[in-house]
Structures are given as C-alpha cells and as structure tokens.
Amino acid sequence: RGQVTLSSERGATKVRDTARVEQGAKVGTSAADGRAGLDLDNGAWVLIGRGGEAQLEAAAGKLSKGRAWVDASSAEETTVETSHGSVSASGATFSVSLTGNETSVYCGSGEVTFRAGSAGGRLQQGEQIVLTGSGEPEPEPVNENQNHDSTWD
C-alpha cells in the first residue's frame, strides 16, 4: 500500500503489486503512505510501517528506520536487528520501533528474546522494553492507557 521501493545491487524499483525480494535487498516505504507486507522464507510475515527501511534475509531483517510488526506465530525463529540490539522469536508476534537513540520492542503474543550489547533476556506477552545499546534493559508491563506499538494507525 502506498509507495514501496526495493533496492539491490541491480538498482531501485518501485513496487506496485507483488514482488520477490532478493536476499539482502532493502525495502523502503514512503513516509506519507507507504507500508510493505512481506512473507519471509521461514514463514514469518513482516509489516514495515510508514517511512521504514529494512534489509531482508530468509529469516531475519535489519531495521534501519521506522517500525516493523512481525508475525512469527507459525514460523521458525525470526530475528530483527537494529543499531541498539536484536530481537528473536518463533511462535510469537512483536513490534520493533526505532525512534531517535533507542529501539522499543513490544511482545504481542508468545515470548521474545532480546540482546543489547552483553545484556539479554526475554519478554512475554504484554511486556515492552527499550534498547539503547548500553546498560541492562528491564522488561516492563504495558499500561493499558499507554500508547505502544501494538496499536498501529
């Protein structure tokens, strides 16, 4: 939906319908109206939100801008990396959002593991964490009055 661009060694292409994404290709979405729904080879489904950018592999992605929702509920392990750490899951759903100097992670269902530098841990359904690349992040429950990435516009 909206403007989506695929970039690889062969150049950039605007996607209007369905397209096969090569290993290592970058997917970018416009800030105004772009969203990209992607089926990874491992069975996970990934939604890249407006103004997002990610480089994709068969069972992983590196999110460099924006946010992503990952449905790995029927998939093998799926990993999303950012400059602040990584998040992995199988049999779970989660969101990853890059804002400023941090990465916010929300576990929508199941259990998610995270790594940030030498620190790591697990998130369970309804918990969130903020990764900054330093310090030891602590999972916290999501307050129902709080705005978090489980609610997308």
Side-chain angles (χ1 to χ4, degrees), residues 79-153:
T79 301
V80 175
E81 294 180 30
T82 72
S83 57
H84 306 108
S86 64
V87 183
S88 298
S90 63
T93 60
F94 61 96
S95 68
V96 180
S97 179
L98 277 169
T99 53
N101 295 323
E102 61 187 34
T103 298
S104 299
V105 179
Y106 169 76
C107 180
S109 67
E111 188 173 86
V112 174
T113 59
F114 65 88
R115 292 224 54 78
S118 61
R122 297 184 187 281
L123 291 177
Q124 295 183 7
Q125 180 177 343
E127 290 183 325
Q128 65 183 357
I129 196 161
V130 176
L131 307 176
T132 61
S134 63
E136 294 206 19
E138 288 293 323
E140 57 186 54
V142 173
N143 179 325
E144 64 185 47
N145 297 321
Q146 203 172 1
N147 182 18
H148 56 82
D149 266 349
S150 69
T151 55
W152 280 39
D153 48 38

